[in-house]
Amino acid sequence: MLSRLAPSLRVKVSLFGSSVTHYSTVSEATFKVLQPYRYHKLDHMSDSFPSEDVTVTRDDALKFYNQMQTIRRMEMAASNLYKSKIVRGFCHLYSGQEACAVGAKAALEPQDSIITAYRAHGWTYLMGVTLSGVLSELTGRVAGCANGKGGSMHMYAPNFYGGNGIVGAQVPLGAGVALAHQYRGDGGVCLALYGDGAANQGQVFEAYNMAMLWNLPVIFICENNGYGMGTSADRAAASTNYWSRGDYLPGLWVDGMDVLAVREAMKFAAGYCRSGKGPLVMEMATYRYFGHSMSDPGTSYRTRDEVQEVRQKRDPIINLKGRLTSSNLATEEELKAIDVEVRSLVEDAVNISKTTKEPALPEMYSQVHVNEPNMEIRGCDNFSHGINAC
């Protein structure tokens, strides 16, 4: 690990009501990635492979730490709301996988698009929805990003196409979003994310084929957290090298618990697609701490010791924190101050998610179309159900 010295940086941290001033002389540092990348059919690009010595600025490192802590704390709040029966229905948490989204988002351009499965809360936040917008959507309140009508699996934002509840269905949709980028000529790339549980579906390989034939700017990303619901990847797939399963599609493997490695890998992948070379498959090796969903305790098919070992040895937030403090990019006090601020922001968002009103009953029939049609839809309009919208 190398650190670059800079003119003394004064950092004033507000901690538990008192102000502590710290001095830092480090503006950036370089770290070795935790695990080397792996490649499939990319030998011709070896001169531009992502470096395994990754440089990060102090500002970016603190931003990544803040974002990952915010997602972790937000998902803890979602878990508590579910256990209190304030959140109902399905709820799939992203805890443990934060580095995948934070690292990937850091490498994207404003015109790029994202589409993912139902473990979407973290991505929703990173794509611009507020904490209260995410948590209020979970609780079914009008302050939610879909006015409380989408819930955990159906959240949207500009250039963020969900949140999709049907396993694997977002992958061909992502190819379609990439086709739109190509058609418009806006230079955008689409990230189509799916889990190892969806990786064996036929529609995934159909999307690969179409994307390759049409040279689409899409990165198919398998977030391999080791388990498809309660079935381990080893028991579900004859080949768990998801990064090379595109056959004719080039592929890339990255440690999804290392936010800096993910950022560098995504810079390479996005640049590859943006330059007109076509689609790419990427596998991010990660881990989820909760069960598949909140109805799954997550302990019947894996041991508590396994989960605890990952938390202790591979946790993306702990790993980044260690890098920050060991390189003097940040002090323990600064990181504690971030933790306190994040906790406060999430608590405020929880209060909003519990106190704002629910959608009125007539809202059940609104927003079915972009422009409300001047006609009645049998079974889908107010009058068929005896509801007076006025």
Side-chain angles (χ1 to χ4, degrees):
M1 181 272 296
L2 300 175
S3 299
R4 177 169 294 183
L5 301 182
S8 182
L9 302 172
R10 175 177 292 185
V11 182
K12 189 173 184 180
V13 180
S14 179
L15 189 62
F16 301 111
S18 61
S19 293
V20 183
T21 301
H22 299 274
Y23 294 90
S24 172
T25 56
V26 178
S27 61
E28 64 179 38
T30 301
F31 305 93
K32 180 75 70 175
V33 297
L34 298 177
Q35 295 191 61
Y37 311 106
R38 305 173 199 168
Y39 304 96
H40 171 67
K41 288 189 177 296
L42 283 168
D43 291 344
H44 63 291
M45 298 291 296
S46 58
D47 290 343
S48 58
F49 280 171
S51 174
E52 295 186 0
D53 295 308
V54 182
T55 298
V56 63
T57 66
R58 168 187 155 81
D59 289 345
D60 281 348
L62 289 175
K63 177 183 177 181
F64 300 157
Y65 181 83
N66 189 317
Q67 289 176 327
M68 289 198 293
Q69 277 286 34
T70 299
I71 295 171
R72 178 73 58 86
R73 180 64 60 172
M74 177 180 69
E75 295 293 61
M76 289 174 61
S79 172
N80 292 333
L81 288 168
Y82 189 94
K83 291 173 182 176
S84 302
K85 297 186 178 181
I86 298 172
V87 173
R88 309 303 290 263
F90 294 103
C91 186
H92 304 81
L93 303 181
Y94 204 59
S95 298
Q97 300 183 212
E98 297 89 353
C100 296
V102 171
K105 180 63 171 65
L108 299 183
E109 299 292 339
Q111 70 271 26
D112 294 335
S113 299
I114 309 292
I115 188 167
T116 189
Y118 35 71
R119 207 175 301 281
H121 308 160
W123 269 111
T124 304
Y125 168 71
L126 292 176
M127 293 300 287
V129 174
T130 63
L131 288 170
S132 59
V134 175
L135 293 176
S136 296
E137 191 58 39
L138 288 172
T139 59
R141 309 294 175 131
V142 294
C145 60
N147 301 125
K149 296 190 288 185
S152 175
M153 298 190 289
H154 304 290
M155 299 182 180
Y156 308 94
N159 285 6
F160 180 59
Y161 296 88
N164 291 265
I166 300 176
V167 176
Q170 73 279 5
V171 179
L173 293 178
V177 174
L179 176 61
H181 283 304
Q182 185 187 73
Y183 183 80
R184 293 196 299 250
D186 59 13
V189 171
C190 180
L191 275 57
L193 297 108
Y194 56 98
D196 51 285
N200 300 317
Q201 291 203 350
Q203 62 184 329
V204 172
F205 294 91
E206 292 177 43
Y208 286 176
N209 185 56
M210 294 180 72
M212 193 68 176
L213 286 173
W214 295 347
N215 207 45
L216 299 181
V218 56
I219 305 171
F220 297 107
I221 301 174
C222 178
E223 290 183 286
N224 178 11
N225 60 28
Y227 297 92
M229 297 187 70
T231 305
S232 68
D234 289 334
R235 292 178 58 214
S239 170
T240 56
N241 294 330
Y242 298 103
W243 51 283
S244 65
R245 286 175 60 178
D247 187 15
Y248 42 80
L249 264 70
L252 171 65
W253 182 97
V254 63
D255 180 2
M257 307 296 271
D258 182 347
V259 66
L260 301 183
V262 172
R263 184 193 65 173
E264 295 306 298
M266 186 55 63
K267 284 181 180 179
F268 169 82
Y272 179 94
C273 293
R274 212 183 305 280
S275 64
K277 293 182 175 66
L280 196 72
V281 176
M282 180 184 292
E283 177 184 347
M284 296 182 182
T286 184
Y287 197 85
R288 58 168 164 82
Y289 294 150
F290 285 88
H292 171 73
S293 68
M294 285 300 298
S295 61
D296 166 25
T299 54
S300 61
Y301 48 87
R302 60 182 185 178
T303 65
R304 297 183 187 277
D305 289 342
E306 176 186 311
V307 179
Q308 190 60 29
E309 183 178 6
V310 176
R311 284 184 178 272
Q312 292 174 349
K313 296 182 179 180
R314 295 181 59 207
D315 184 83
I317 298 175
I318 293 176
N319 283 335
L320 180 61
K321 181 178 180 179
R323 286 169 158 176
L324 285 168
T325 54
S326 65
S327 64
N328 293 319
L329 278 174
T331 64
E332 289 278 358
E333 289 80 4
E334 288 178 85
L335 300 182
K336 288 180 181 176
I338 291 174
D339 296 345
V340 170
E341 181 182 15
V342 166
R343 187 178 299 113
S344 176
L345 291 173
V346 172
E347 288 174 355
D348 290 344
V350 168
N351 290 332
I352 293 172
S353 75
K354 294 193 291 188
T355 56
T356 53
K357 64 180 182 180
E358 296 178 349
L361 192 56
E363 281 295 307
M364 185 185 303
Y365 310 100
S366 69
Q367 297 175 320
V368 177
H369 301 270
V370 174
N371 299 308
E372 292 297 327
N374 186 25
M375 62 180 181
E376 294 180 6
I377 307 172
R378 186 173 63 184
C380 297
D381 61 272
N382 301 344
F383 306 101
S384 295
H385 293 266
I387 298 172
N388 186 351
C390 298

